[in-house]
Amino acid sequence: KIVCLTNLKPAKMRGIESEAMLLAASDGNDGENEKVELLDVPDSVPNGELLSFEGKEPSDPDAMLKSKGAVKVWDRVKAGLRSNEEGEATFVDEGKIHRIMSSAGPVKTASLKDSVIQ
């Protein structure tokens, strides 16, 4: 199971309309040496479950992020996404770390630790 953002404005990529974005961790290396891993969600989590940030109030997602303000918010969130030393996906906001959580526990990477998530 993987993590997808599905409320982004559709965009054409190589001639095909994309309606979702996969989240993955990267070791930060360039080119062929870069290691990338999709974020893992525990198998028991139902497809389509809304994930949350530990320590943040739950909220309903926007139907679609298409306004400039909504896109700026996503850019700010994206800049704070990292995996921690246990490989758990986190969001760092004003120095506070919030794990990305599912109903069955934290979202993780297979092996990348202290990595950027994009």
Side-chain angles (χ1 to χ4, degrees):
K1 299 211 175 192
I2 59 171
V3 176
C4 297
L5 298 175
T6 59
N7 63 344
L8 301 175
K9 184 178 176 183
K12 288 233 179 197
M13 298 180 72
R14 298 185 179 189
I16 299 171
E17 186 172 84
S18 172
E19 296 184 8
M21 178 190 299
L22 307 175
L23 287 185
S26 168
D27 65 5
N29 290 323
D30 289 328
E32 293 180 19
N33 295 325
E34 181 181 22
K35 183 173 181 180
V36 175
E37 294 177 356
L38 295 174
L39 298 184
D40 291 327
V41 177
D43 286 337
S44 62
V45 174
N47 290 338
E49 179 177 292
L50 183 63
L51 302 177
S52 63
F53 294 113
E54 184 177 54
K56 291 266 190 193
E57 289 295 319
S59 62
D60 292 327
D62 293 333
M64 184 182 298
L65 300 178
K66 56 184 175 183
S67 72
K68 287 183 180 181
V71 172
K72 284 183 181 180
V73 168
W74 164 238
D75 288 340
R76 196 168 59 243
V77 169
K78 188 169 52 171
L81 295 174
R82 294 196 56 81
S83 64
N84 65 17
E85 60 277 352
E86 282 102 38
E88 297 169 327
T90 66
F91 168 58
V92 181
D93 182 37
E94 297 179 357
K96 197 165 184 195
I97 299 171
H98 305 275
R99 294 186 303 168
I100 301 176
M101 301 297 291
S102 72
S103 59
V107 172
K108 297 183 175 186
T109 63
S111 67
L112 291 177
K113 305 192 180 357
D114 294 315
S115 300
V116 173
I117 295 175
Q118 302 175 352

